[in-house]
Amino acid sequence: MQAGWVPDSQQVIYRTDLRGRPHAPDPDVTPVHPDDPGVPEALLELGRPDWEAAEGWTLHALRREGQVLALGATGPGGRPGEAGLDLIGVRPAQRGRGYGARLHAHLLGVAAQNFASHTGGTDAGNHAMRRTFERSGSVLLSTQQYYRQH
């Protein structure tokens, strides 16, 4: 390793064939606008208060009894035929109840309407998201180490 560089993070990259497995819509997930009731507060709590939809992207909320429990978005990815997903997250008080997996499966189903695959990643230590990828039929492509200057 060159002098002045230290390990920063390790990411795992997964690929999902969207045509190979159906992902049923979740009745508790609906498209929302960032200004809809409860959404700004959820974005703030999830550390993404300035989130904006890029062209072709749609924000989705998993709600229960009107409360926003989790947020995610889908749209075009970086390659032809590939979807992008941004699982913004599950609100801290709601974690560990399967909401992230439900939202992820729903987003894959939405993406499958227009795209053939999805490639995405997460921090190697994010075991909950890694299980979500694996349960959705995703295949581990690589583990990547990132560095920063010290």
Side-chain angles (χ1 to χ4, degrees):
M1 185 176 343
Q2 287 190 316
W5 288 88
V6 296
D8 184 43
S9 67
Q10 192 174 53
Q11 302 287 312
V12 289
I13 309 300
Y14 287 87
R15 183 169 185 82
T16 310
D17 177 359
L18 298 176
R19 307 289 183 201
R21 180 178 176 171
H23 298 279
D26 189 305
D28 291 329
V29 180
T30 57
V32 294
H33 187 274
D35 295 328
D36 285 354
V39 175
E41 295 83 4
L43 286 168
L44 179 63
E45 192 172 326
L46 294 167
R48 303 281 297 275
D50 298 328
W51 187 90
E52 290 185 23
E55 186 175 337
W57 280 71
T58 304
L59 182 64
H60 299 263
L62 189 150
R63 295 178 189 252
R64 272 276 168 92
E65 299 173 4
Q67 182 184 4
V68 175
L69 306 178
L71 291 169
T74 187
R79 296 182 181 108
E82 188 169 270
L85 265 65
D86 182 359
L87 190 58
I88 294 167
V90 177
R91 295 177 89 162
Q94 304 300 327
R95 292 181 182 156
R97 300 178 186 174
Y99 296 133
R102 286 177 54 192
L103 180 58
H104 188 257
H106 181 89
L107 294 174
L108 290 174
V110 170
Q113 296 171 17
N114 297 303
F115 302 99
S117 65
H118 167 256
T119 301
T122 191
D123 186 86
N126 186 346
H127 298 291
M129 190 66 219
R130 292 182 73 167
R131 281 189 305 275
T132 297
F133 272 121
E134 291 161 7
R135 288 181 187 141
S136 68
S138 303
V139 176
L140 179 63
L141 291 181
S142 67
T143 301
Q144 300 176 358
Q145 180 69 50
Y146 293 90
Y147 297 87
R148 63 179 168 78
Q149 286 190 305
H150 179 61

